[in-house]
């Protein structure tokens, strides 16, 4: 069982930056960031595989950066837009074959989420 805990959410104006953190209770090969806006489905934002792989949703490419330090996952979010708002979750899959996907259904362990609000 993997326990995940996010932190770092908050409110920011459009164009601003935030850095999210996710502490994992144990080593995991890969983790990802997901977000869910009110009335919308949860979507993949970025995924990090320690086997030298990262992937980003098209909507955040060039603005967000995912990284890992030991058992903590980070998401540096720059040039934030109102559309980036929502609850951000970190997650990890039980099976490593899903390490290179952004589909929420492939991830089994989830944090409680952290709210990100971007005002225009």
């Amino acid at each position: 069982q993997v326990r995940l805990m996010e932190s770092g959410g908050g409110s920011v104006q459009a164009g601003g930056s935030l850095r999210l953190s996710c502490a994992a209770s144990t080593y995991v090969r890969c983790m990802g960031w997901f977000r869910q806006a009110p009335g919308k489905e949860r979507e993949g934002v970025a995924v990090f595989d320690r086997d030298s792989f990262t992937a980003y949703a098209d909507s955040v490419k060039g603005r967000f950066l995912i990284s890992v330090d030991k058992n903590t996952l980070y998401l540096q979010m720059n040039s934030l837009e109102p559309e980036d708002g929502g609850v951000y979750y970190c997650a990890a899959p039980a099976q490593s074959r899903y390490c290179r996907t952004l589909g929420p259904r492939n991830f089994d362990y989830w944090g409680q989420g952290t709210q990100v609000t971007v005002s225009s």
Side-chain angles (χ1 to χ4, degrees), residues 35 43-47 55-64 102:
R35 66 187 180 191
E43 62 176 353
V45 175
V47 63
Y56 297 89
D58 288 342
S59 59
V60 307
K61 283 180 181 177
R63 300 188 297 120
F64 289 14
L102 284 171

Side-chain angles (χ1 to χ4, degrees), residues 35 45-46 56 59-66 75-81 84 88:
R35 66 187 180 191
V45 175
Y56 297 89
S59 59
V60 307
K61 283 180 181 177
R63 300 188 297 120
F64 289 14
L65 179 67
I66 190 170
L75 186 68
Q76 177 66 44
M77 305 187 294
N78 301 320
S79 302
L80 282 162
E81 304 168 354
D84 294 319
Y88 281 70

Side-chain angles (χ1 to χ4, degrees), residues 70-118:
K70 296 181 181 178
N71 290 343
T72 300
L73 179 73
Y74 298 97
L75 186 68
Q76 177 66 44
M77 305 187 294
N78 301 320
S79 302
L80 282 162
E81 304 168 354
E83 294 75 20
D84 294 319
V87 179
Y88 281 70
Y89 301 89
C90 69
Q95 300 182 57
S96 60
R97 61 179 171 149
Y98 296 125
C99 276
R100 303 189 173 194
T101 70
L102 284 171
R105 294 182 180 181
N106 297 327
F107 287 70
D108 304 280
Y109 307 109
W110 293 84
Q112 83 288 350
T114 185
Q115 178 72 45
V116 171
T117 302
V118 184

Side-chain angles (χ1 to χ4, degrees), residues 12-75:
V12 65
Q13 289 190 330
S17 298
L18 281 174
R19 188 192 194 202
L20 304 183
S21 301
C22 172
S25 60
T26 187
Y27 173 92
V28 289
R29 171 178 162 179
C30 60
M31 291 187 283
W33 286 101
F34 300 81
R35 66 187 180 191
Q36 188 166 18
K40 295 187 177 181
E41 293 186 355
R42 191 170 298 186
E43 62 176 353
V45 175
V47 63
F48 185 101
D49 182 349
R50 295 180 193 263
D51 194 16
S52 303
F53 177 86
T54 58
Y56 297 89
D58 288 342
S59 59
V60 307
K61 283 180 181 177
R63 300 188 297 120
F64 289 14
L65 179 67
I66 190 170
S67 62
V68 163
D69 183 14
K70 296 181 181 178
N71 290 343
T72 300
L73 179 73
Y74 298 97
L75 186 68

